[in-house]
Amino acid sequence: MSSTEKTVLIKPSLSEAQAVELVGQLYDLKVSSVQPLPSYIDQNFHILVSETKGTGDHSNGYILKVLNTVDSQDADLVEAQTRIMTFLNKKGFPSPTTIPTVDGKIMSLETIDCGQEYKTHMVRLLNYLPGIPLAKIPPGPQILYKAGRTLAQMDKVLEEFQHPTLKSLQRDDYLWSLSNTHLLVKYLYAVEEGSNRQVVEQIIQQFKEKILPNLSRFRKSINHGDFSHSNILVKPVHSSADHSNPTLPHQELEISGILDFSDMSYGYCVYDVAISIMYMMLESNNPISVGGHVLAGFESVTPLLPEERDAVFLLVLCRFSQSLVMARYNILLYPENEEYLLTTGRTGWKRLHQLWGLGKEAVEKVWFETANSYCT
């Protein structure tokens, strides 16, 4: 969401009937089942159809993704994100691919009746990926390492991506970029007075003093921007009856899906690893150790520079601050979506205070000793 969009309601509000109509109109598919899915600022539906077109197995159905009104205005950005998904899929990553419309388009800008007014939303149909969100499983060291390694491999492969729309990823005013952590001050009023707000204020000040002046020392890259436990699907490595439940402890897992490329932007490679560490901590039974496993996986592909490593702790705190503050702000706009928006907040404030209380030196000791243990 653009930092200039403060009070305008931009989230789509399609009914299930409208979703069915769109799928029929744009893709000539007969819908047999439609199920709304949770989403932050867009709208998603799981679509099953009675007939499929073309080749490939689509028995799991499709995802109809309707973008918010702000992102829908930037066709180049949406196209870049969509083409990156296809590019990564061809490179062997389990990213979604788009289903073309009846006239061969990878996306379609639609004017939709939203009750009191008509709004314009970009619409895409994606293949549905199997697996269970990592958010539903306390992540163990093995899958954390794989997540970090996969993230670094993805960032590295994206160095090869070329397309005329690529410049649209230069999102200088994008609120969710870690480079814009200082812009959170505009939204702090949504957080009650007290220790939560005080900690975030101190983190923002540290960001302005320690990160913002030193961005030129970090290596640039294309960021996924939200490589989180909610956007990673997993499944058991072994698919026999005895090893079919990915929620069982000590189960070896593999990544079966990488979702949600809407936060992609030009940034710095250290951003992606910090963002991932933050979200992986939320459901972990041993949250402080998470960073070490993710770092070990990431650095097995892309070792961080000393100045990048030194910034990870504060950048993790910055992402906690972004996620927690913006959730409180968006609840004011979309109270009906409160349950989903509070997903991070259920454990996030506790994790943030835990990191803040322990301090950089103590947390880094755990992280770096854990990461180094993979080298011995």
Side-chain angles (χ1 to χ4, degrees):
M1 191 195 319
S2 169
S3 60
T4 60
E5 295 295 324
K6 296 180 180 179
T7 58
V8 177
L9 299 183
I10 65 174
K11 184 180 172 70
S13 56
L14 277 69
S15 66
E16 293 179 24
Q18 287 175 305
V20 171
E21 183 180 358
L22 271 179
V23 172
Q25 171 190 326
L26 295 177
Y27 302 97
D28 193 25
L29 293 172
K30 186 175 181 181
V31 176
S32 59
S33 171
V34 56
Q35 179 183 358
L37 298 174
S39 180
Y40 198 95
I41 206 68
D42 300 319
Q43 196 173 18
N44 301 322
F45 298 90
H46 183 196
I47 301 291
L48 295 178
V49 299
S50 54
E51 301 173 0
T52 59
K53 298 193 308 176
T55 59
D57 179 14
H58 297 287
S59 57
N60 290 318
Y62 306 90
I63 297 295
L64 179 69
K65 191 168 188 68
V66 185
L67 299 189
N68 66 77
T69 55
V70 171
D71 288 345
S72 294
Q73 294 171 15
D74 195 340
D76 280 355
L77 175 64
V78 180
E79 181 174 358
Q81 295 166 343
T82 305
R83 294 197 182 278
I84 283 173
M85 289 191 300
T86 302
F87 172 81
L88 289 171
N89 186 273
K90 290 179 178 177
K91 291 289 186 178
F93 293 88
S95 56
T97 56
T98 53
I99 310 303
T101 63
V102 290
D103 52 0
K105 297 177 182 178
I106 61 173
M107 57 194 196
S108 182
L109 192 61
E110 297 295 317
T111 301
I112 298 170
D113 184 358
C114 298
Q116 296 181 340
E117 59 182 322
Y118 284 83
K119 293 185 178 181
T120 303
H121 295 285
M122 194 72 78
V123 176
R124 291 174 297 176
L125 192 67
L126 311 176
N127 66 313
Y128 183 89
L129 298 177
I132 184 170
L134 191 52
K136 295 185 179 296
I137 308 167
Q142 168 257 7
I143 194 61
L144 292 170
Y145 179 91
K146 284 186 179 180
R149 183 173 175 83
T150 300
L151 176 59
Q153 289 171 332
M154 185 169 66
D155 285 355
K156 198 172 188 67
V157 164
L158 284 174
E159 295 174 6
E160 307 170 17
F161 180 76
Q162 296 292 328
H163 194 268
T165 60
L166 195 55
K167 62 184 181 297
S168 65
L169 296 182
Q170 196 69 50
R171 307 168 73 180
D172 295 336
D173 64 342
Y174 188 50
L175 186 60
W176 285 97
S177 168
L178 281 172
S179 294
N180 291 325
T181 298
H182 56 293
L183 298 181
L184 279 179
V185 293
K186 301 176 184 178
Y187 304 91
L188 275 175
Y189 70 87
V191 180
E192 293 180 3
E193 291 276 4
S195 61
N196 287 346
R197 191 192 289 193
Q198 290 168 5
V199 167
V200 172
E201 288 172 339
Q202 293 177 75
I203 290 168
I204 293 172
Q205 186 59 35
Q206 286 197 16
F207 168 82
K208 291 194 290 187
E209 294 173 358
K210 299 179 180 180
I211 301 294
L212 208 50
N214 296 306
L215 290 178
S216 62
R217 302 174 67 188
F218 302 154
R219 289 168 296 175
K220 293 183 178 181
S221 71
I222 296 176
N223 289 153
H224 177 278
D226 195 11
F227 198 75
S228 69
H229 62 331
S230 297
N231 291 328
I232 298 172
L233 302 178
V234 296
K235 65 180 183 180
V237 171
H238 306 288
S239 57
S240 66
D242 294 335
H243 300 86
S244 60
N245 185 354
T247 64
L248 292 176
H250 312 300
Q251 175 81 273
E252 185 178 0
L253 303 172
E254 64 183 1
I255 295 175
S256 60
I258 301 171
L259 309 178
D260 196 356
F261 287 74
S262 61
D263 286 306
M264 295 204 80
S265 65
Y266 274 121
Y268 302 91
C269 68
V270 68
Y271 284 3
D272 259 348
V273 70
I275 289 167
S276 190
I277 289 171
M278 175 254 142
Y279 287 109
M280 300 299 181
M281 289 181 63
L282 292 175
E283 304 303 328
S284 172
N285 294 326
N286 189 4
I288 299 303
S289 70
V290 163
H293 301 295
V294 176
L295 277 171
F298 191 91
E299 292 196 294
S300 70
V301 178
T302 304
L304 294 177
L305 301 175
E307 50 267 42
E308 292 169 337
R309 255 196 168 207
D310 184 61
V312 172
F313 175 77
L314 181 51
L315 289 171
V316 170
L317 297 180
C318 288
R319 186 53 163 205
F320 265 114
S321 300
Q322 286 180 320
S323 184
L324 292 165
V325 171
M326 293 312 298
R328 296 305 315 177
Y329 169 73
N330 277 292
I331 286 170
L332 299 179
L333 298 183
Y334 308 102
E336 74 281 358
N337 201 27
E338 181 173 2
E339 182 178 354
Y340 180 76
L341 291 169
L342 283 178
T343 301
T344 298
R346 290 189 186 98
T347 57
W349 287 111
K350 178 181 178 181
R351 300 285 188 258
L352 177 59
H353 283 284
Q354 190 175 11
L355 287 176
W356 184 255
L358 287 170
K360 181 175 185 285
E361 183 177 349
V363 173
E364 284 186 342
K365 185 175 187 295
V366 175
W367 285 357
F368 298 157
E369 286 181 358
T370 300
N372 291 338
S373 71
Y374 284 84
C375 303
T376 58

